[in-house]
Amino acid sequence: MPVAGRDKFVSQPLGAHPAQAAPCRRDVLASMLAICVLPAAMTSARAQPSTLPVIGYLGSESPERYASRLGAFAQGLSEAGYVEGRDVSMLFRWADGQYRQLPALAKELADAGVTVMVAPGGAEVALAAKSATTSIPIVFELGGDPVALGLVASLAQPGGNMTGVTSLNVEVSRKRLEFMRELFPQAQLFAIAANPTSPTVKSQLANLDAAAATLGVELRVLHASTSDAFEELFTATRAIGAGGLVFTSDPYFTYRSRRLAELAAQHGVATITQSRDFPLAGGLMSYGGDFRQSHRHTGIYAGRILKGEKPADLPVQRVTKVELFINLKAAQALGLVVPPALLSSADMVIE
Amino acid sequence: MTERPASPRASLFTKYFLALFAAAVGPLLVAGGSEAWFGYRDQRDRLSDLLDSEARLAAFKIEYFLQGISDQLEWMVQLPWSAGTDERRRLDALRLLRQVPPVMSLRLVDATGRERLFVSRIGLNRVESGDDHSDDPAALGAAAQGAWFGPVIFQGGSEPFLTVAVAGNRSAAGVAIAEVNLKFIWDVISAIQVGRTGEAFVLDAPGRLVAHPDISLVLRADDASTRPLQLLRSAILAQPGQAIAGRDTKGDAVMAAMAPIPMVEWSVIVKQPVAEAFGPIYAALWRTGVLLVAGTLFAALLAYWLSQRMIGPIRLLEDGVARIGAGQFDHRIELATGDEFERLAGRFNHMAGELAVSQERSERINRLKRFLAPQVAELIERSGDERVLDGRRVEVVAVFCDLRGFTAFAAQAQPEAIISVLGTYYDAMERVIAAHEATLTSFSGDGIMALVNAPVACPDPALRAVAMARAMQDCVQALLVDWRAAGHELGFGVGLAMGPATVGRIGSGGRLDYTAVGHVVNLASRLCASAKDREILADRTVARAVGTAVALTELEARPLKGFARHVPVFIVDAPRHDASRDNASAVIGESAPG
């Protein structure tokens, strides 16, 4: 097991992740992790019988950003009867935000002969996994239409070596615009943040355009595919005088909710994103699927495949729960009064 | 005698064992068997009832889920629509979506069939779109029945959805139409547990799987894979009210029961693995079986023990009887069973004691008979008093007799001839002595001594002695004819004397004889020695005692060995013998007796 200076190669037990990781001190942290984890990993590797099945876990980011998702995954896995170290061993590959590396990392996992590959966290990861193998079962987790993405033949009968969980994130982009419009009934222009590299960006923008037409508003699409471009999104929103900034669904944005919340507060821009992480970190609103549910179901499916079920027979599950989070503190800071229609729809109101 | 009789063809032990065993096991088997059978039937009925009530409970829960949604929808159709935008109703609709997660979207239609409001979790909300829904079956159905449940639709070919429409009390309130995601029934269906591993599932009217604890089965929306469940339903419909056996999607044997939900025409079916459903039955049967086996073993042990208890005393009795039969009269059968066996053993012991006494008596009689006449011996034995045999001095008549010429005969004759002659002789003498109730005291070669009046006194001993002597002579003379014919030149003489003598048993241990000691014995012996063939010589005391009852002729007194003076001698029935016989007799008479 390679333990290099970069933490994307560090294998870690599920759920045991440092709470905070300062990016500037990543190398120090990585070496600390290596020191801490290496003996444990080695002894556990020695103690485990070689017959334990291996889950290859492909992460688009780092273990820290995935911490809560990994917890939900482990929960689902244990519901299916598997506990890491006891019944199954895990092999991790982390892209650390470099989504172009995903296919190579997926290939590494496939070459390592994993029993099942788990590709959570978006269409990019699922597509990378699909490119790596046609025989190893793959469980994906994404927000979008897996049929349209060409991952499965149909939701009911996936047919190939892939199945997984999809959330309604991509479909509900328009609802974010609607909520923003509810907040600013008078505004005629809204800014849209999109990641041009995302496989679902086209469908989402089309979806949003249709919604804008219905709602009678104009949209300005702002692009950002790296975190360096984030600040530009907010300054541009203010510059064009848009009512608010609506984020399309994209894992790259989701995993950087904290940074986005900081920038939104800093620039005083009313913003809605996909993930609850955003309002929890101080952002205004979020509307999207419950990632804990989707990752838990991913864990359950990984377990069922380990038990011998075929991905072709396991229908793609849609996580139906969509949640609206509103942070009233952020609203207050922005000088906004949240209308009752929004408050009564909110699943969680942070005060 | 000690040899056991051959083993009986059928042993009593086997008979008792079989009888007792059958007596114990028969009722046990009948009771156990009927218990098992009725228990099985009761359990089966109970299982049927149990599954039936589980099915009804599950159906109730599903119905409650649907009813809950339609109840919530009723809130939306309580007030009549006004002309303009109804902001309050929009808020209510949003709150309903928030409150009822299974509702994906809600459409409110007014009395004219125009859409007034549409809220959705995914799509955009619409207010006052005015779209015409007057011929929507949901709106029509709700208007007609109050509440309307549509057919199950699998969105995207996978997710089951149901349209629920509710109309208000007044047509002015319009109709609320909701799209319900039936995946949420999973929370209900997966919480239903039948027994330990049993579960419930729901089929709609055409037999499509609507809800199942394994949601992926529902999402597959694959008729082929849910075919066994449909078969299960048709089997239940064929036998209403009963739990039936069948196979589930995995091919496992299950017991299933069904309850309908009439408002949506769904069937809720509960199933439980046969092994688990029949678990209590099998456990009960197994328990009964174990009890039966244990009971049978116990009965066998009991029967064995009882038979052994019964047979043990019998064996002991048999052994005891065999020993007693073998002459071991001191053997006692030790039995303390307190029952008839003990009594029987007592009887045997008593018998053995009696036998011992009887044997002792007969031995004693035999011993007495050696020297006493049988009737005398019997007499003494019966009196039980052998003191009569003790030594004392009494008046006796001693009678001696012997064969003349026996020494010469014994020297020449073959041993067989000698033994034959002696045998015949003794035999005859014994008979004669016994007939006169005299006491035979000794045999010595051809000489015999007998006593009269001892040990048992008798009237006229002298007379009796003379009569006996006569009989002896007659008897032996008859024998002599034959012997002489065979060439044995023998004769026979008798001497008897009367007088006091010491009599009693002398000797030791096994050789105990009754005899007399005294002058009279010697005298009788000498008289016998001097008697010629055919002669009976008596002394004076005898002659006197006899008196005239017998013809006695006094002979010339003669010298006798051991007697200082000549002794007067009397001859009984002086023989009228011719000269030639006389001569021969004289020759024989000279030889020494014995």
Side-chain angles (χ1 to χ4, degrees):
Chain A
M1 188 172 299
V3 180
R6 293 185 64 82
D7 55 0
K8 67 180 176 183
F9 288 118
V10 175
S11 168
Q12 276 186 292
L14 288 177
H17 302 288
Q20 68 275 2
C24 57
R25 288 155 75 185
R26 189 184 295 154
D27 287 350
V28 179
L29 187 84
S31 49
M32 275 172 65
L33 269 175
I35 288 161
C36 296
V37 171
L38 180 61
M42 283 178 71
T43 50
S44 69
R46 206 175 297 138
Q48 288 160 7
S50 53
T51 51
L52 274 190
V54 182
I55 294 178
Y57 192 99
L58 184 62
S60 55
E61 300 287 339
S62 63
E64 302 85 60
R65 289 204 169 107
Y66 263 67
S68 54
R69 275 79 169 163
L70 281 169
F73 176 79
Q75 192 199 336
L77 201 57
S78 73
E79 276 175 42
Y82 287 88
V83 173
E84 189 200 355
R86 191 189 71 188
D87 317 293
V88 68
S89 59
M90 302 275 300
L91 185 58
F92 292 95
R93 288 292 181 274
W94 300 107
D96 199 17
Q98 308 294 311
Y99 288 15
R100 261 166 300 177
Q101 287 189 5
L102 282 169
L105 295 173
K107 192 80 189 143
E108 277 183 40
L109 287 175
D111 293 346
V114 296
T115 318
V116 56
M117 199 186 295
V118 174
E124 294 92 339
V125 191
L127 289 167
K130 183 181 162 68
S131 72
T133 176
T134 54
S135 55
I136 296 170
I138 297 168
V139 183
F140 57 76
E141 187 274 340
L142 52 83
D145 185 356
V147 181
L149 287 166
L151 295 172
V152 293
S154 78
L155 293 180
Q157 276 139 34
N161 64 326
M162 297 189 86
T163 187
V165 185
T166 165
S167 64
L168 295 171
N169 280 328
V170 169
E171 276 182 272
V172 298
S173 296
R174 57 189 173 197
K175 288 296 278 186
R176 268 175 235 135
L177 179 62
E178 189 182 70
F179 286 129
M180 198 52 97
R181 160 92 167 148
E182 189 90 40
L183 201 55
F184 300 100
Q186 308 306 323
Q188 289 301 306
L189 179 66
F190 289 94
I192 302 293
N195 180 355
T197 62
S198 167
T200 60
V201 70
K202 262 189 198 156
S203 67
Q204 289 195 69
L205 290 178
N207 194 325
L208 280 164
D209 279 338
T214 309
L215 294 169
V217 296
E218 277 182 53
L219 300 180
R220 179 71 57 85
V221 178
L222 306 171
H223 290 290
S225 55
T226 62
S227 52
D228 303 336
F230 281 177
E231 192 152 10
E232 181 76 19
L233 296 173
F234 295 92
T235 51
T237 304
R238 284 198 72 94
I240 60 172
L245 177 60
V246 176
F247 273 81
T248 56
S249 296
D250 188 80
Y252 189 80
F253 296 147
T254 303
Y255 288 117
R256 286 159 184 79
S257 293
R258 183 181 296 275
R259 174 75 184 134
L260 296 177
E262 282 170 12
L263 288 170
Q266 190 185 323
H267 294 280
V269 175
T271 311
I272 182 166
T273 73
Q274 160 197 0
S275 165
R276 61 159 72 179
D277 294 348
F278 179 70
L280 288 175
L284 180 60
M285 287 195 294
S286 74
Y287 190 68
D290 182 354
F291 67 82
R292 283 181 312 185
Q293 248 194 54
S294 58
H295 283 263
R296 190 170 68 86
H297 281 299
T298 311
I300 294 174
Y301 261 15
R304 287 181 67 165
I305 289 170
L306 286 178
K307 273 186 192 158
E309 291 192 57
K310 302 220 162 9
D313 295 337
L314 292 172
V316 175
Q317 290 216 42
R318 288 213 299 173
V319 171
T320 24
K321 194 177 171 195
V322 195
E323 51 188 15
L324 173 65
F325 272 53
I326 300 175
N327 189 332
L328 284 186
K329 271 195 291 185
Q332 216 168 5
L334 292 168
L336 294 171
V337 177
V338 181
L342 273 183
L343 283 178
S344 59
S345 296
D347 294 87
M348 171 80 113
V349 176
I350 300 159
E351 287 182 271
Chain B
M1 274 300 271
T2 53
E3 180 188 334
R4 274 179 184 279
S7 302
R9 192 166 42 81
S11 92
L12 199 56
F13 176 81
T14 316
K15 284 181 189 166
Y16 271 127
F17 178 81
L18 289 178
L20 289 170
F21 183 70
V25 165
L28 189 73
L29 282 178
V30 170
S34 55
E35 162 76 26
W37 168 240
F38 288 115
Y40 173 79
R41 288 191 43 181
D42 287 354
Q43 284 276 12
R44 241 203 109 113
D45 288 349
R46 206 171 307 154
L47 174 68
S48 203
D49 291 349
L50 184 80
L51 281 178
D52 196 46
S53 61
E54 291 278 6
R56 275 185 281 130
L57 183 66
F60 173 77
K61 285 177 178 169
I62 305 284
E63 199 168 357
Y64 184 78
F65 169 84
L66 296 172
Q67 193 64 51
I69 290 170
S70 86
D71 286 352
Q72 293 284 351
L73 292 179
E74 262 181 53
W75 285 99
M76 305 307 303
V77 288
Q78 284 180 340
L79 296 172
W81 284 95
S82 51
T85 309
D86 194 338
E87 176 62 14
R88 193 187 162 82
R89 212 182 286 244
R90 189 174 80 97
L91 276 183
D92 283 348
L94 291 172
R95 272 160 57 198
L96 184 130
L97 280 196
R98 158 96 186 78
Q99 204 59 35
V100 191
V103 174
M104 288 290 114
S105 70
L106 173 67
R107 185 191 314 277
L108 298 179
V109 177
D110 69 11
T112 61
R114 307 270 157 205
E115 180 191 285
R116 300 295 295 268
L117 178 67
F118 175 82
V119 291
S120 165
R121 293 178 191 279
I122 296 145
L124 292 179
N125 300 342
R126 287 193 297 271
V127 181
E128 302 292 342
S129 72
D131 295 347
D132 186 11
H133 284 275
S134 57
D135 54 356
D136 185 339
L140 291 173
Q145 305 158 25
W148 182 85
F149 295 89
V152 177
I153 292 160
F154 288 84
Q155 273 195 11
S158 175
E159 288 203 333
F161 275 76
L162 176 72
T163 304
V164 179
V166 174
N169 285 342
R170 299 148 61 191
S171 61
V175 177
I177 303 166
E179 290 294 317
V180 177
N181 188 339
L182 290 178
K183 269 204 317 190
F184 282 83
I185 296 186
W186 186 83
D187 290 334
V188 181
I189 205 90
S190 66
I192 296 172
Q193 204 178 6
V194 181
R196 206 159 36 78
T197 57
E199 52 196 22
F201 61 90
V202 180
L203 296 178
D204 72 354
R208 291 175 302 179
L209 191 62
V210 172
H212 193 280
D214 180 5
I215 190 120
S216 58
L217 266 182
V218 179
L219 297 180
R220 279 178 73 178
D222 178 11
D223 259 6
S225 62
T226 54
R227 184 90 191 116
L229 303 181
Q230 292 166 17
L231 290 175
L232 214 49
R233 181 169 73 167
S234 36
I236 296 170
L237 286 172
Q239 278 181 296
Q242 271 200 326
I244 59 102
R247 305 236 162 233
D248 66 5
T249 48
K250 290 175 201 137
D252 296 334
V254 293
M255 290 299 290
M258 191 189 86
I261 305 179
M263 63 184 189
V264 281
E265 293 178 18
W266 291 356
S267 313
V268 178
I269 297 169
V270 294
K271 65 185 171 79
Q272 195 179 17
V274 164
E276 187 193 320
F278 281 97
I281 299 179
Y282 292 150
L285 286 178
W286 178 242
R287 213 162 39 229
T288 309
V290 166
L291 281 178
L292 277 181
V293 169
T296 306
L297 282 178
F298 180 72
L301 282 176
L302 194 72
Y304 182 82
W305 180 69
L306 280 175
S307 312
Q308 196 71 314
R309 254 184 80 92
M310 197 88 78
I311 293 312
I314 292 178
R315 293 254 163 82
L316 217 60
L317 283 171
E318 187 193 356
D319 179 62
V321 171
R323 278 161 184 264
I324 293 167
Q328 207 178 330
F329 297 129
D330 57 344
H331 179 76
R332 289 293 175 268
I333 301 166
E334 301 291 345
L335 263 183
T337 52
D339 54 16
E340 284 84 345
F341 282 121
E342 190 176 332
R343 207 164 67 197
L344 184 58
R347 292 226 186 270
F348 273 120
N349 287 341
H350 183 71
M351 186 188 81
E354 293 286 302
L355 279 174
V357 168
S358 160
Q359 193 206 29
E360 199 184 341
R361 194 166 141 249
S362 94
E363 273 174 3
R364 218 163 46 222
I365 290 173
N366 281 342
R367 207 162 59 234
L368 291 173
K369 273 183 182 166
R370 288 220 322 261
F371 48 88
L372 295 177
Q375 41 288 55
V376 178
E378 291 283 350
L379 187 76
I380 290 171
E381 170 53 38
R382 250 199 312 281
S383 76
D385 185 6
E386 289 191 38
R387 268 178 308 171
V388 77
L389 300 175
D390 292 346
R392 60 200 162 113
R393 198 162 176 82
V394 289
E395 183 87 355
V396 299
V397 181
V399 179
F400 276 80
C401 62
D402 66 3
L403 292 170
R404 296 292 100 91
F406 184 78
T407 311
F409 163 70
Q412 301 163 4
Q414 296 293 317
E416 293 81 18
I418 297 169
I419 295 302
S420 162
V421 164
L422 279 179
T424 318
Y425 170 64
Y426 285 150
D427 209 35
M429 288 302 98
E430 254 184 314
R431 245 181 296 131
V432 172
I433 291 166
H436 290 84
E437 298 183 13
T439 305
L440 174 68
T441 56
S442 68
F443 286 105
S444 173
D446 60 329
I448 291 170
M449 173 185 171
L451 288 176
V452 178
N453 204 32
V456 181
C458 65
D460 289 326
L463 205 57
R464 185 176 292 219
V466 171
M468 182 174 76
R470 275 178 170 163
M472 282 172 161
Q473 266 301 358
D474 290 347
C475 186
V476 174
Q477 288 309 322
L479 293 173
L480 285 176
V481 176
D482 292 340
W483 293 341
R484 281 182 190 128
H488 312 315
E489 282 304 320
L490 293 166
F492 180 66
V494 183
L496 57 161
M498 184 169 174
T502 300
V503 297
R505 280 180 295 190
I506 59 166
S508 66
R511 291 208 51 81
L512 201 63
D513 282 329
Y514 191 82
T515 192
V517 181
H519 173 73
V520 67
V521 177
N522 289 337
L523 181 56
S525 170
R526 295 309 170 204
L527 284 172
C528 173
S530 76
K532 293 179 185 124
D533 181 33
R534 294 176 184 270
E535 280 185 349
I536 301 166
L537 297 182
D539 73 338
R540 185 181 298 276
T541 320
V542 171
R544 269 200 206 124
V546 173
T548 55
V550 176
L552 288 174
T553 310
E554 180 160 12
L555 300 177
E556 191 181 343
R558 50 179 86 168
L560 292 177
K561 197 177 174 186
F563 289 85
R565 288 183 288 175
H566 283 60
V567 180
V569 178
F570 296 81
I571 184 163
V572 178
D573 304 330
R576 300 157 301 273
H577 48 275
D578 47 296
S580 61
R581 293 291 309 171
D582 213 21
N583 211 356
S585 304
V587 175
I588 296 163
E590 281 164 7
S591 62

